[in-house]
Amino acid sequence: MKSTADIIIDRITSFSPINENGFDVIKQVVNLYNKIGFTKDFYKVFFILLENRNKFEPYSSIINSLIRDIGLFQYLEEDKLDKFKDAVALNTFLCPQIREDSKTVFHYPQAKIFYTLLSGQSVILSAPTSFGKSLIIDAIISKKIFKNIVIIVPTIALIDETRKRLNIFSNHYKIITHPTQLKQENNVYILTQERAIIDGFIDEVDFFVIDEFYKLSPQNLNYEDSRCDILNLAFYKLYKKCKHFYMLGPNIDRLANNIEGSISYVFFKEEFPTVGTLVYREKGEATALNIYQIYLRNREQTLVYCNGPKSIAKLADGLISIKPRIEKDNTIYNLCNWIKDTYHQDWSIIKYLQHGIGVHHARLPRSLAQFIVELFNAKKLDILLCTSTIIEGVNTSAKNVVMHEQKIGKNDLDYFTFNNIAGRAGRMFKHFIGNVFIFSDPPQEKLPYVDIPVISQNSDTSINVLLGMDANDLSDSSYNKIAKFYDDTNSFLIDTVKRNPQIAPESQLRLAEDIIKNGKEWHTDLYWDNIPTYSQLSFVCHLIFEYFNGENLAFQSVRSERQLAFLINRLKYKYETKYIIQSSINKDKGTRYESSVDVYISKHLNFIRLWATFHFPNILMCISDIQKEVYQNLGMSFGDYSYYAKSVESLFFDPALICLEEYGIPLEISRKIETEISFEGNLDLTINKLKSIDIQKLTLTTFEKYFLAHAIKYI
């Protein structure tokens, strides 16, 4: 038997002013609201009414009054207000002016949180994806009451998205995303947790924000405990400088009990949606055909969550076998030609794009992934296949979300992550109703609580976190867990361990002990600076595999220490990407290692993203610090690997060019104009040059000029 809400929904969607009395329908809606309030049972009714608002034009004043009473003032039709109290409500909840050409209105809970923050209190907010949590950040910045604001986001993709959004404040604030940039009097830092803990980078802090704060908690919902440790240390360092913060995230039940009283904050748990979500349990399996038929039902933008890149590839191959090619679009046509010229003509992503299908996962070049999302948002692509990046920086406006599978990695999706993904369906002012399609039952309703180990210091708090804290902030039991690092034997190494919190302290200690044992024998291989010999590089790669779990890093993309040494050494020749990929294909041709073009591209991109620009330079600097401390302690000469670490991290180009990837400019383009925009790693000068450069005079293809101009618009 249908519920009252479902009966009203049927009346709204099927309503015809010729055959029915619209007032009776509106009366039913209002009566239900008066009876049950703005609860889950009423959400769908309300948003379906808004989606069909044009059918009930004569009753706009009643709908506006309902909107006002609920507190969703953004949806008031200002030109149709006929009551003084509606107009007063609209102006009362005006957000501080953010853009000169438009005004924004808070809904009631947004206003409540904004004014709580303005009062000087800290806020921890749990609210749905569509709540508008980021608008509160923008409104706080627009008040210009803080000189130095730090915003911590979980991914580099979110750095770019946030930077673009906050660029409107650049007349008053310097937007800083990288430690190479110089500070000014007023600064907004937008950083990942790794950058936030760099010594000497952030000086004064007046207000800080942690987005997706649930990642502080090392629970099943957090799949990267090492990053969880770093985020805890970022919070610790910021909180030591400033007690005023705003932490936000979705679908959290509460904070752990042992956090209460340790830090001062107001916790808001809001279940206040700004769009409606309809979940449909589909019959059959999540095949390409069934997913394509879901898209055909309304031909709206459809986002498909997949378990990983392999799952994406399999589904995309199935979709292009049944989905026709899209009509020729110049932007997509030129992008495909650029991909052919830059990577390989047989990369499958080209076929997907030609059929109106975008893909997005962490193994794609950042600038290319960003561009694909923009094509999807611009409705040039119909379907976007995503991994968990859907909840870590993909700013989409999709009508439909399809769960191809309900797993993340090898684990089943929990209710928390399921909600995060489902929350991407619908978008305020674009889709009042978002559709979520699932092929298996949703997880049981259970929201997690969030612990902050750096505050609670419970028995599970990692050694990395405890070592990153000041000794006088540790409880007795916490200090006892790390006491061995402070004893006379190891105390000389404590600063090194603190500088490398992303690397297991026990591994660092074990390497130090073995350098002490083999000090003279290893000295020739460890005593170097500038550029190592191939033998010295090989020895370092041996240490990475022997002491730092090299075989399991970066999705096991490097099989051996010998291969790592070869690949790192090859970077100095600065070969073009297409040449490297083709060389790998030719090398394996006819052998048991021969594979598809996609595999070779994926391996190369994985190596660049995970090994060359992350793991290798980080571990190398850790080894550099350890050998320096040990050899100093032994009274012997020591090496300094900083120059080589920075060179590898920047792929032997000007480091600013690597940073430009985060601004949407591929290295494959910026390397062609390096002489025009290079200032020895000074990112600020490079950005200023890009803003003033005459793009048409550059020796780039027409599409590369378009790509560059498109990126510069948001710098």
Side-chain angles (χ1 to χ4, degrees):
M1 192 170 111
K2 284 189 175 183
S3 67
T4 303
D6 288 334
I7 293 170
I8 296 173
I9 287 170
D10 288 345
R11 288 203 68 187
I12 293 170
T13 53
S14 63
F15 175 76
S16 169
I18 298 173
N19 303 319
E20 293 183 85
N21 185 340
F23 180 76
D24 288 343
V25 179
I26 297 298
K27 183 180 177 182
Q28 279 188 295
V29 172
V30 173
N31 285 341
L32 181 63
Y33 171 70
N34 288 336
K35 183 177 179 181
I36 65 175
F38 195 51
T39 57
K40 286 184 179 180
D41 290 334
F42 186 74
Y43 294 162
K44 292 178 187 177
V45 175
F46 175 71
F47 289 111
I48 286 175
L49 174 63
L50 291 186
E51 195 163 69
N52 292 270
R53 188 187 234 169
N54 62 319
K55 295 180 181 180
F56 302 95
E57 189 73 22
Y59 312 104
S60 291
S61 61
I62 300 176
I63 295 174
N64 276 334
S65 294
L66 178 62
I67 291 169
R68 176 180 55 77
D69 201 73
I70 287 170
L72 270 166
F73 304 104
Q74 294 97 324
Y75 288 141
L76 287 173
E77 293 181 311
E78 191 171 0
D79 59 330
K80 296 174 183 175
L81 297 179
D82 60 0
K83 291 186 178 180
F84 176 72
K85 57 184 177 182
D86 289 339
V88 169
L90 183 69
N91 285 281
T92 300
F93 284 85
L94 276 179
C95 173
Q97 189 76 20
I98 294 174
R99 297 184 178 275
E100 292 181 1
D101 57 346
S102 63
K103 62 182 180 181
T104 307
V105 182
F106 284 136
H107 56 63
Y108 175 72
Q110 277 178 323
K112 177 175 61 176
I113 291 155
F114 173 72
Y115 288 110
T116 300
L117 286 168
L118 278 191
S119 74
Q121 297 181 85
S122 293
V123 167
I124 297 178
L125 170 64
S126 169
T129 301
S130 59
F131 179 86
K133 298 181 286 289
S134 296
L135 177 63
I136 299 169
I137 300 173
D138 300 3
I140 289 288
I141 294 173
S142 72
K143 297 293 287 184
K144 300 178 182 177
I145 56 177
F146 301 119
K147 294 174 67 68
N148 290 287
I149 299 170
V150 179
I151 302 172
I152 307 298
V153 295
T155 64
I156 289 175
L158 268 172
I159 286 181
D160 181 64
E161 180 184 320
T162 308
R163 176 187 60 79
K164 288 176 180 176
R165 194 183 80 238
L166 299 184
N167 194 49
I168 55 176
F169 302 115
S170 58
N171 287 336
H172 184 78
Y173 287 102
K174 171 79 174 285
I175 309 295
I176 296 177
T177 63
H178 200 274
T180 59
Q181 293 178 269
L182 297 176
K183 309 173 188 76
Q184 292 184 354
E185 184 177 359
N186 303 304
N187 305 285
V188 173
Y189 298 82
I190 309 169
L191 310 168
T192 57
Q193 54 259 45
E194 287 82 5
R195 293 178 185 177
I197 65 169
I198 295 173
D199 286 341
F201 177 27
I202 300 173
D203 298 323
E204 297 179 1
V205 181
D206 303 301
F207 180 69
F208 72 91
V209 177
I210 295 183
D211 194 7
E212 309 292 358
F213 79 95
Y214 64 86
K215 291 176 180 285
L216 285 161
S217 188
Q219 299 181 9
N220 290 334
L221 56 88
N222 192 330
Y223 300 99
E224 297 180 81
D225 282 347
S226 62
R227 297 206 73 213
C228 169
D229 291 345
I230 303 299
L231 184 57
N232 270 269
L233 291 176
F235 172 79
Y236 174 76
K237 288 175 178 286
L238 291 170
Y239 193 70
K240 294 277 282 188
K241 295 175 182 288
C242 170
K243 300 296 187 285
H244 194 188
F245 61 80
Y246 171 41
M247 297 205 290
L248 55 148
N251 309 317
I252 303 299
D253 187 50
R254 59 184 175 85
L255 265 68
N257 292 333
N258 51 9
I259 303 299
E260 294 287 340
S262 301
I263 55 176
S264 177
Y265 64 91
V266 181
F267 179 63
F268 290 99
K269 180 183 175 184
E270 300 289 347
E271 296 180 0
F272 192 85
T274 58
V275 295
T277 303
L278 301 178
V279 179
Y280 298 94
R281 175 66 159 83
E282 296 293 297
K283 296 179 180 179
E285 298 181 354
T287 62
L289 178 60
N290 286 338
I291 289 173
Y292 183 54
Q293 287 176 339
I294 288 172
Y295 161 73
L296 289 178
R297 290 178 196 174
N298 52 30
R299 294 184 180 272
E300 293 273 9
Q301 304 303 99
T302 299
L303 193 152
V304 184
Y305 168 76
C306 298
N307 188 35
K310 288 183 180 178
S311 177
I312 282 180
K314 184 178 179 181
L315 178 58
D317 287 338
L319 285 170
I320 63 173
S321 69
I322 53 179
K323 186 178 186 297
R325 282 194 174 208
I326 57 174
E327 293 183 13
K328 182 179 176 181
D329 177 273
N330 285 336
T331 304
I332 292 176
Y333 175 80
N334 291 329
L335 173 61
C336 289
N337 284 336
W338 179 78
I339 292 172
K340 291 177 186 177
D341 294 339
T342 305
Y343 298 98
H344 197 280
Q345 68 272 17
D346 294 327
W347 193 6
S348 295
I349 195 172
I350 297 169
K351 293 183 296 184
Y352 304 155
L353 291 169
Q354 290 169 341
H355 286 261
I357 299 168
V359 299
H360 191 287
H361 52 76
R363 301 185 193 182
L364 285 178
R366 290 190 188 101
S367 50
L368 179 58
Q370 290 170 18
F371 198 75
I372 287 172
V373 170
E374 290 182 22
L375 290 174
F376 177 73
N377 288 341
K379 298 190 175 182
K380 290 179 179 289
L381 299 173
D382 311 312
I383 298 173
L384 182 65
L385 311 183
C386 290
T387 60
S388 58
T389 54
I390 188 177
I391 53 174
E392 294 182 339
V394 181
N395 181 20
T396 60
S397 53
K399 175 74 172 179
N400 305 318
V401 167
V402 180
M403 302 278 197
H404 180 245
E405 56 238 312
Q406 290 189 40
K407 284 185 174 293
I408 185 165
K410 296 179 180 180
N411 302 311
D412 292 334
L413 287 183
D414 54 26
Y415 184 70
F416 169 85
T417 311
F418 176 88
N419 273 357
N420 267 1
I421 296 170
R424 296 290 166 176
R427 200 69 168 177
M428 201 169 186
F429 300 115
K430 293 186 179 180
H431 309 292
F432 288 112
I433 294 290
N435 302 314
V436 179
F437 301 89
I438 58 177
F439 291 87
S440 57
D441 292 336
Q444 289 188 336
E445 186 168 340
K446 182 182 178 182
L447 292 177
Y449 70 88
V450 171
D451 186 20
I452 306 178
V454 76
I455 299 297
S456 63
Q457 295 186 45
N458 57 39
S459 58
D460 296 327
T461 302
S462 78
I463 290 176
N464 297 60
V465 169
L466 298 177
L467 282 169
M469 300 172 64
D470 296 339
N472 58 4
D473 288 334
L474 297 171
S475 65
D476 290 342
S477 59
S478 293
Y479 184 82
N480 289 336
K481 285 175 65 175
I482 61 170
K484 66 179 180 180
F485 291 94
Y486 284 95
D487 65 25
D488 292 340
T489 306
N490 302 317
S491 59
F492 73 95
L493 199 64
I494 190 66
D495 289 338
T496 292
V497 173
K498 284 176 175 282
R499 276 197 301 274
N500 297 281
Q502 73 279 16
I503 298 173
E506 292 86 352
S507 298
Q508 298 184 54
L509 194 59
R510 189 162 65 92
L511 175 59
E513 290 169 348
D514 284 357
I515 294 177
I516 292 171
K517 292 177 188 175
N518 304 285
K520 291 182 180 179
E521 182 183 346
W522 289 4
H523 191 254
T524 301
D525 286 317
L526 290 175
Y527 176 42
W528 57 269
D529 53 21
N530 201 6
I531 303 291
T533 64
Y534 197 82
S535 173
Q536 290 166 334
L537 173 60
S538 297
F539 186 72
V540 163
C541 292
H542 163 71
L543 297 181
I544 290 173
F545 272 72
E546 179 69 23
Y547 295 89
F548 301 105
N549 197 30
E551 67 275 10
N552 292 319
L553 295 177
F555 302 108
Q556 299 178 314
S557 55
V558 172
R559 296 189 297 268
S560 67
E561 57 196 61
R562 183 179 174 186
Q563 184 188 25
L564 179 60
F566 169 78
L567 294 174
I568 293 294
N569 187 62
R570 186 175 65 179
L571 290 171
K572 67 185 180 184
Y573 299 108
K574 303 199 290 190
Y575 293 129
E576 291 187 353
T577 302
K578 189 172 186 178
Y579 171 82
I580 292 174
I581 292 167
Q582 191 60 54
S583 296
S584 298
I585 293 171
N586 295 341
K587 176 176 170 289
D588 288 349
K589 198 166 186 177
T591 73
R592 63 190 179 96
Y593 297 114
E594 186 174 2
S595 193
S596 67
V597 168
D598 282 31
V599 168
Y600 289 103
I601 293 174
S602 180
K603 283 183 177 179
H604 175 67
L605 295 177
N606 274 344
F607 170 73
I608 294 298
R609 182 178 69 89
L610 297 173
W611 269 113
T613 63
F614 184 67
H615 286 305
F616 183 83
N618 282 347
I619 299 174
L620 181 64
M621 282 309 302
C622 180
I623 295 172
S624 181
D625 290 342
I626 292 170
Q627 60 84 32
K628 177 182 176 181
E629 296 287 353
V630 171
Y631 283 131
Q632 270 187 325
N633 209 40
L634 295 174
M636 298 173 65
S637 52
F638 53 85
D640 179 1
Y641 309 162
S642 57
Y643 174 82
Y644 191 66
K646 290 176 182 176
S647 298
V648 171
E649 188 176 21
S650 62
L651 309 180
F652 290 86
F653 290 96
D654 182 325
L657 270 60
I658 303 300
C659 297
L660 291 181
E661 276 276 358
E662 299 173 21
Y663 289 75
I665 303 174
L667 177 63
E668 289 79 10
I669 292 178
S670 59
R671 66 180 288 170
K672 293 182 178 181
I673 57 172
E674 184 174 10
T675 54
E676 284 91 348
I677 63 174
S678 175
F679 295 93
E680 299 181 355
N682 190 317
L683 180 58
D684 287 333
L685 290 179
T686 295
I687 289 172
N688 289 337
K689 180 66 175 179
L690 281 170
K691 287 179 178 179
S692 63
I693 204 165
D694 187 343
I695 294 175
Q696 297 309 314
K697 291 183 178 179
L698 298 174
T699 54
L700 299 172
T701 67
T702 302
F703 179 72
E704 286 171 336
K705 290 175 182 178
Y706 168 80
F707 208 127
L708 185 62
H710 179 76
I712 290 174
K713 280 195 305 184
Y714 299 104
I715 293 179

